[in-house]
Amino acid sequence: ITAYEPIEDIFGKRVGMLYVGVLEEKYADMQRNALSILIIITLAGMVLAVVLGYILADKIMNPVHRLIKASQQVAEGSLTPDIGLISKGEIGVLQNTFKDMVVSVGRRRAETEDRLLHSEKQASIGRLAAGVAHQMNNPLTGVLTYTRMLLRRQDIGDEIRSDLQTIAESTEMLRKIVKGLLDFSRQAKLDKEPMDINRL
């Protein structure tokens, strides 16, 4: 690498020349070294970014994958899914929220099962009441019919007539109870309509 500059006297006449020269190889070596260092730094940065990205992705994705597996376990009916260790940060908040959700689902499922069991018990009681009421209704109808037939007779005394009247009233009361049981077991649907309470 060279540079030339003329030397002039005070009258402007050229009296010589200034010459400077340096070997180019030294600058080419420096350029190659700088480029090599830049490439090495860039590659090292890329490798470091890939490693850090893998570590961070693993740190983030492992809890997410465990949550996905846990949600599949919950979908299959398990209320004790394995979500692993609780992480820090937003993933930890997500894991805690998921745990709370599973506890809430378990509580609601238990309440639903209790309600269902209660409904089944009520239905069983209704069927039992219907069966008992139906079985009692026929003999009561017979007792009431024969009692009324006896009351129509003129050849019985007042004391017997009074006893028969007591039997008829008691039987009628029992029939009302049986009718109430049958109505309860049928659980008839109510037809709701506006009503004037004062008139009622």
Side-chain angles (χ1 to χ4, degrees):
I1 300 172
T2 58
Y4 299 89
E5 187 70 30
I7 300 173
E8 299 175 347
D9 63 6
I10 56 171
F11 300 111
K13 186 178 173 189
R14 291 186 182 177
V15 290
M17 176 179 66
L18 181 62
Y19 165 79
V20 177
V22 179
L23 292 175
E24 185 181 2
E25 190 176 344
K26 187 195 282 185
Y27 288 105
D29 286 344
M30 286 175 60
Q31 187 179 15
R32 275 194 301 273
N33 289 341
L35 188 60
S36 299
I37 290 170
L38 180 64
I39 289 171
I40 290 171
I41 290 173
T42 303
L43 288 174
M46 288 171 62
V47 169
L48 184 65
V50 168
V51 169
L52 284 175
Y54 181 76
I55 290 171
L56 288 175
D58 189 52
K59 192 172 183 179
I60 291 171
M61 293 310 292
N62 271 348
V64 171
H65 285 303
R66 281 197 303 266
L67 280 176
I68 291 170
K69 286 181 184 174
S71 64
Q72 290 169 347
Q73 291 173 357
V74 171
E76 291 168 0
S78 172
L79 292 177
T80 55
D82 178 29
I83 61 172
L85 295 173
I86 303 296
S87 303
K88 293 180 181 176
E90 286 81 10
I91 297 292
V93 172
L94 181 63
Q95 288 173 315
N96 283 324
T97 304
F98 184 82
K99 280 176 54 178
D100 293 343
M101 180 194 70
V102 170
V103 169
S104 177
V105 165
R107 191 169 38 246
R108 287 193 182 120
R109 187 161 98 176
E111 290 172 1
T112 304
E113 286 174 354
D114 287 346
R115 273 191 247 130
L116 192 61
L117 186 63
H118 185 68
S119 297
E120 287 176 4
K121 283 181 181 177
Q122 282 185 328
S124 298
I125 290 171
R127 285 192 295 271
L128 179 66
V132 169
H134 187 70
Q135 292 299 323
M136 288 177 63
N137 201 26
N138 292 336
L140 285 175
T141 302
V143 168
L144 188 60
T145 302
Y146 284 112
T147 305
R148 286 186 179 152
M149 285 172 59
L150 286 172
L151 283 171
R152 286 189 197 135
R153 288 177 58 177
Q154 301 298 326
D155 61 338
I156 57 174
D158 289 340
E159 186 178 320
I160 294 176
R161 186 174 298 281
S162 173
D163 291 341
L164 288 173
Q165 190 64 38
T166 303
I167 291 172
E169 289 170 2
S170 298
T171 307
E172 192 63 47
M173 186 172 66
L174 274 175
R175 281 190 66 194
K176 286 180 183 175
I177 292 171
V178 168
K179 184 181 181 306
L181 282 172
L182 283 171
D183 290 344
F184 169 74
S185 66
R186 288 188 194 113
Q187 293 180 354
K189 209 171 189 180
L190 296 176
D191 293 328
K192 298 176 183 176
E193 61 180 29
M195 178 64 67
D196 181 6
I197 295 177
N198 293 324
R199 184 175 63 80
L200 186 65

